[in-house]
């Protein structure tokens, strides 16, 4: 089963929920798809065994074969190519590696692909609370790069579907979150009972439904704010699968890098119950 943990905004506790859920499932695999700011390793302390670069195709123009027709620049949706009277310019930072320029070029061999490194995937193992091996992979987008999706795809290729795969998505509802949630069996949305939490939850629910992925909610810091999120979930028939209080002992454990399921047996039972609830909801 593949479970994506997402949120419409940052700071809701998405990674905290993801790592505690991964530690509570006996056969889990944790994939950190928040490639612009991966931080699951700060809590799980994996032993990294391999690191692989992530590359994307980059068009290379043979100026001796190019006729300066400009079709490649016209077809590029990302303005990564510009045709002047003397040559075709390529802007690597804007290129998404889609290959449409090579497809529309009328001159055979005028456009070929080179590879450009934009990040890396690190793979290893951590230990769950029962001592079993917790498979771990995280992607890291290079500083200055703007396109995270190829790195997220590379992380997801390490998913072992014989296990329960926990995908820790980037916050928000942009392309990185969409790519992570796509093809998941269930999406767990972490939010908080505030006006901002409600607004961004609506956006995240819209994305999950557009992708056809069933979703439920974890309500973090449930004893602050108002009841608007709970009322919205009731109206939309979205189950609230876990409520987490605003408790000092949880904040202390978090600040020390200690997962809640290791700090308290009570939370180990709650996250095991959460996993069972997700499986029931996904089976409906």
């Amino acid at each position: 089963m593949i479970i994506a943990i997402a949120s419409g905004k940052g700071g809701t506790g998405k990674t905290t929920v993801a790592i505690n859920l991964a530690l509570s499932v006996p056969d889990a695999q944790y994939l950190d798809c928040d490639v612009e700011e991966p931080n699951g390793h700060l809590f799980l302390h994996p032993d990294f065994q391999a690191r692989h670069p992530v590359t994307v195709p980059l068009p290379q123009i043979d100026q001796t074969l190019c006729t300066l027709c400009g079709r490649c620049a016209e077809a590029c949706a990302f303005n990564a190519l510009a045709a002047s009277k003397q040559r075709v310019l390529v802007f690597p930072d804007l290129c998404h590696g889609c290959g449409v320029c090579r497809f529309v070029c009328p001159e055979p061999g005028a456009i070929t692909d080179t590879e450009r490194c934009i990040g890396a995937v690190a793979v290893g193992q951590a230990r769950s609370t029962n001592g079993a091996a917790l498979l771990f992979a995280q992607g890291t987008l290079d500083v200055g790069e703007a396109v995270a999706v190829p790195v997220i795809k590379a992380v997801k290729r390490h998913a072992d579907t014989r296990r329960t795969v926990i995908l820790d998505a980037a916050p928000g509802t942009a392309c990185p979150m969409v790519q992570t949630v796509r093809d998941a069996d269930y999406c767990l949305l972490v939010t908080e009972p505030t006006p901002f939490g409600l607004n961004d939850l609506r956006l995240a629910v819209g994305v999950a439904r557009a992708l056809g992925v069933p979703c439920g909610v974890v309500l973090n810091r449930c004893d602050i704010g108002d009841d608007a999120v709970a009322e919205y979930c009731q109206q939309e028939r979205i189950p609230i699968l876990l409520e987490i209080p605003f408790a000092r002992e949880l904040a202390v454990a978090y600040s020390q890098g200690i997962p809640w399921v290791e700090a308290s047996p009570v939370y180990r039972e709650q996250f095991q119950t959460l996993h069972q609830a997700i499986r029931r909801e996904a089976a409906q």
Side-chain angles (χ1 to χ4, degrees):
M1 184 179 186
I2 300 177
I3 305 171
I5 315 297
S7 62
K9 63 184 289 293
T12 60
K14 169 184 57 61
T15 293
T16 303
V17 170
I19 61 174
N20 282 282
L21 182 60
L23 288 170
S24 303
V25 180
D27 62 341
Q29 180 185 29
Y30 174 86
L31 302 183
D32 197 339
C33 297
D34 186 1
V35 300
E36 295 178 76
E37 194 67 32
N39 58 0
H41 65 282
L42 299 176
F43 298 89
L44 296 176
H45 308 290
D47 177 20
F48 289 116
Q49 301 162 346
R51 181 179 174 88
H52 311 288
V54 178
T55 61
V56 293
L58 180 68
Q60 184 174 7
I61 311 297
D62 187 337
Q63 304 295 340
T64 64
L65 298 176
C66 178
T67 61
L68 300 176
C69 67
R71 293 184 186 179
C72 56
E74 293 174 0
C76 182
F78 307 104
N79 297 315
L81 295 165
S84 69
K85 293 181 179 180
Q86 290 78 31
R87 60 188 295 125
V88 174
L89 302 175
V90 179
F91 302 100
D93 291 343
L94 298 179
C95 180
H96 283 55
C98 65
V100 69
C101 55
R102 189 177 68 256
F103 179 77
V104 301
C105 180
E107 300 299 326
I111 301 180
T112 56
D113 282 339
T114 59
E115 294 294 321
R116 184 170 72 91
C117 183
I118 63 169
V121 176
V123 182
Q125 289 187 358
R127 289 289 174 186
S128 64
T129 53
N130 60 9
L134 172 61
L135 298 186
F136 185 103
Q138 76 172 23
T140 305
L141 186 69
D142 286 348
V143 174
E145 295 292 341
V147 183
V149 168
V151 182
I152 296 172
K153 288 181 178 179
V155 175
K156 292 180 70 175
R157 281 196 288 270
H158 287 275
D160 184 351
T161 54
R162 297 169 298 180
R163 294 173 175 259
T164 300
V165 181
I166 308 297
L167 304 177
D168 188 355
T173 53
C175 295
M177 179 267 200
V178 173
Q179 182 60 46
T180 304
V181 175
R182 188 189 304 275
D183 301 323
D185 297 308
Y186 198 81
C187 180
L188 192 63
L189 298 172
V190 184
T191 190
E192 53 195 6
T194 64
F196 284 116
L198 174 59
N199 177 76
D200 296 323
L201 176 63
R202 291 178 185 270
L203 298 175
V205 168
V207 171
R209 287 177 172 173
L211 295 172
V213 178
C215 62
V217 167
V218 169
L219 194 58
N220 195 13
R221 295 184 283 269
C222 63
D223 45 359
I224 64 171
D226 52 39
D227 297 328
V229 169
E231 293 172 357
Y232 166 76
C233 291
Q234 184 177 13
Q235 293 171 1
E236 296 294 324
R237 297 183 179 180
I238 301 171
I240 297 178
L241 302 180
L242 178 63
E243 296 186 9
I244 303 171
F246 189 40
R248 179 181 178 83
E249 59 269 22
L250 297 181
V252 170
Y254 178 89
S255 68
Q256 296 173 346
I258 302 173
W260 295 343
V261 296
E262 294 181 358
S264 171
V266 172
Y267 281 94
R268 187 181 307 120
E269 295 175 2
Q270 289 192 9
F271 276 92
Q272 289 171 345
T273 302
L274 172 63
H275 176 234
Q276 295 168 2
I278 291 172
R279 297 191 73 89
R280 286 195 302 270
E281 289 292 327
Q284 294 181 3

